Amino acid sequence: MEHPQIVGWAHSKFGKSEDDTLEALIAGVVPDALDHAGIGAGDVDGIFVGVYNNGFSRQAFEGALVGMAMPELASVPAMHAENACATGSAALYAAMDYIGAGRGRIALVVGAEKMTATPNPEIADILLTASYRAEEGEIDGGFAGVFGRIAAGYFQSHGDHSEELAMIAAKNHLNGMRNPYAHLQKDLGTAFCNTVSARNPIVAGPLRRTDCSLVSDGAAALVLACPELAADFPRAVSFRARNQVNDVLALSRRDPTEFRGARGAWAKSLDEAHLDILDLDLVETHDCFTIAELLEYEAMGLAERGQGGRIIRDGITARDGRLPVNLSGGLKSRGHPLGATGVSQHVMAAMQLAGEAGEMQLPGATLAGVFNMGGAAVANYVSILERVK
């Protein structure tokens, strides 16, 4: 089966929005995505919306919000997906299945989240809904505490890698300086990220504030078309492969430093695409915490277990390295509005492949990988994208 292709997109500025509701965030990207693709509302056969919510908004039934944001779409079949921090990719893959099954030929995918209006203690509690609460619900620090435990376990087995985590943070913030959509456009530098201070305190375990992604508001949208129609669009980015692999929810029933599900998703997608990891020109990966990006280096096959720190030290994932990772700044700099993240990652990769990434642009990029995960590497999505035209 040929995968549907990305033919248009839109992306809001991520950050703290004082006034925008979830509905307003969606309204801010949907018309622009349709315009970018060069289609009207009447061309859309199905709508797929990714919003995590779970307490961030009193308004649920998010699939119907697209029709509120753009009344011309009110009669188009719409649905809502949720899969923790991989919610955006879940909506995207559902839309691809819809087109692949022949139910429609053009689909609109929207990912959005309004987080910053929620008090910090409530945010921490909401984020823990993406963990196994029966065992992990009382971890101090919320989801940062979960990844703090993962980092502590990794350090215990493989030594202190605090400096490598600081290098990852600094790399992504430097990349984010080029991204006009990024929440935090500031070059922090490795020294600042590696120093515990009043401005960079310990948050959980060995993780400092600069090791943690940002609480953000934002939205992103994609337009998908079946290959027959995509041939007539001015731009098209195809999926050479796409796979989801899950792992056990409870940390107690697996080695949480292995990222076994992520490894499996990468292996399946690279095999399906007939590629090795270094055949890719760039990767957008899920750096909710810097320890996650380090573990993902190992999961994607760049390094053996325990050797992920070598990858950042050798500059392999730098902008001018053999495999640039998170040219957009990643979740660390771009921000992490949960439902929007997976859609945003695919938009960032598609922009690169279409040559429309502006100051972020990596010259000559034709192949990109995207990794988006829900929970602590529980729901793992890997897409291999390729420029068609």
Side-chain angles (χ1 to χ4, degrees), residues 243-245 260-270 380-382:
N243 286 279
Q244 178 190 355
V245 174
R260 180 178 57 194
R263 185 181 300 273
W266 271 109
K268 290 183 72 173
S269 286
L270 289 170
N380 303 278
Y381 294 78
V382 171

Side-chain angles (χ1 to χ4, degrees), residues 144-210:
V146 171
F147 274 86
R149 287 191 179 187
I150 292 171
Y154 188 88
F155 286 12
Q156 184 175 8
S157 297
H158 305 294
D160 189 330
H161 284 74
S162 296
E163 186 172 16
E164 287 88 346
L165 299 189
M167 293 171 72
I168 289 171
K171 168 185 69 71
N172 291 346
H173 280 290
L174 181 62
N175 287 342
M177 293 282 288
R178 296 172 178 258
N179 186 352
Y181 304 108
H183 183 156
L184 184 58
Q185 296 162 309
K186 188 174 183 179
D187 181 8
L188 298 180
T190 300
F192 176 80
C193 294
N194 197 38
T195 303
V196 176
S197 66
R199 294 174 59 206
N200 190 29
I202 292 289
V203 174
L207 300 181
R208 301 143 299 197
R209 179 177 291 163
T210 50

Side-chain angles (χ1 to χ4, degrees), residues 28-386:
V29 294
V30 168
D32 289 346
L34 299 185
D35 287 347
H36 190 246
I39 63 172
D43 298 309
V44 178
D45 298 314
I47 298 168
F48 298 80
V49 179
V51 176
Y52 183 59
N53 199 339
N54 278 294
F56 284 120
S57 171
R58 295 186 66 188
Q59 175 63 62
F61 202 8
E62 293 90 349
L65 289 179
V66 176
M68 293 297 296
M70 191 172 181
E72 304 96 305
L73 292 169
S75 64
V76 178
M79 58 85 71
H80 166 243
E82 182 272 303
N83 212 11
C85 305
T87 285
S89 291
L92 171 61
Y93 280 29
M96 295 180 71
D97 290 341
Y98 169 78
I99 294 175
R103 297 295 303 276
R105 303 208 296 169
I106 294 180
L108 171 66
V109 181
V110 184
E113 209 76 58
K114 173 69 177 180
M115 301 175 70
T116 63
T118 304
N120 285 338
E122 292 181 33
I123 291 174
D125 186 63
I126 291 170
L127 294 180
L128 278 174
T129 60
S131 67
Y132 186 52
R133 296 202 70 147
E135 296 179 2
E136 301 154 18
E138 303 305 319
I139 291 179
D140 289 339
F143 224 63
V146 171
F147 274 86
R149 287 191 179 187
I150 292 171
Y154 188 88
F155 286 12
Q156 184 175 8
S157 297
H158 305 294
D160 189 330
H161 284 74
S162 296
E163 186 172 16
E164 287 88 346
L165 299 189
M167 293 171 72
I168 289 171
K171 168 185 69 71
N172 291 346
H173 280 290
L174 181 62
N175 287 342
M177 293 282 288
R178 296 172 178 258
N179 186 352
Y181 304 108
H183 183 156
L184 184 58
Q185 296 162 309
K186 188 174 183 179
D187 181 8
L188 298 180
T190 300
F192 176 80
C193 294
N194 197 38
T195 303
V196 176
S197 66
R199 294 174 59 206
N200 190 29
I202 292 289
V203 174
L207 300 181
R208 301 143 299 197
R209 179 177 291 163
T210 50
D211 293 308
C212 307
S213 60
L214 301 160
V215 172
S216 307
D217 306 326
L222 288 166
V223 177
L224 297 176
C226 64
E228 296 79 12
L229 288 183
D232 296 326
F233 281 78
R235 67 184 62 78
V237 174
S238 70
F239 287 75
R240 190 151 166 178
R242 56 141 179 147
N243 286 279
Q244 178 190 355
V245 174
N246 265 48
D247 204 348
V248 179
L249 177 59
L251 297 177
S252 65
R253 302 181 197 179
R254 58 187 167 103
D255 179 351
T257 69
E258 184 182 0
F259 275 29
R260 180 178 57 194
R263 185 181 300 273
W266 271 109
K268 290 183 72 173
S269 286
L270 289 170
D271 181 65
E272 181 184 333
H274 305 292
L275 296 169
D276 293 321
I277 187 64
L278 288 174
D279 292 328
L280 301 178
D281 295 304
L282 62 108
V283 167
E284 284 290 324
T285 202
H286 192 106
D287 59 319
C288 51
F289 300 91
T290 53
I291 184 63
E293 181 167 327
L294 186 143
L295 291 172
E296 288 154 19
Y297 294 163
E298 299 174 10
M300 68 179 73
L302 285 175
E304 297 296 322
R305 290 193 65 192
Q307 297 298 312
R310 175 178 57 80
I311 301 304
I312 188 69
R313 283 196 172 277
D314 290 350
I316 291 170
T317 55
R319 180 176 176 83
D320 59 354
R322 292 183 66 191
L323 183 63
V325 171
N326 286 335
L327 289 172
S328 70
L331 285 60
K332 186 68 204 65
S333 174
R334 191 177 70 251
H336 186 22
L338 303 184
T341 289
V343 181
S344 169
Q345 290 179 300
H346 284 84
V347 169
M348 292 292 121
M351 290 172 67
Q352 289 283 353
L353 299 182
E356 298 181 19
E359 291 187 20
M360 294 182 285
Q361 187 65 52
L362 184 71
T366 59
L367 286 167
V370 175
F371 173 69
N372 182 208
M373 70 179 180
V378 177
N380 303 278
Y381 294 78
V382 171
S383 304
I384 307 295
L385 303 182
E386 182 174 32

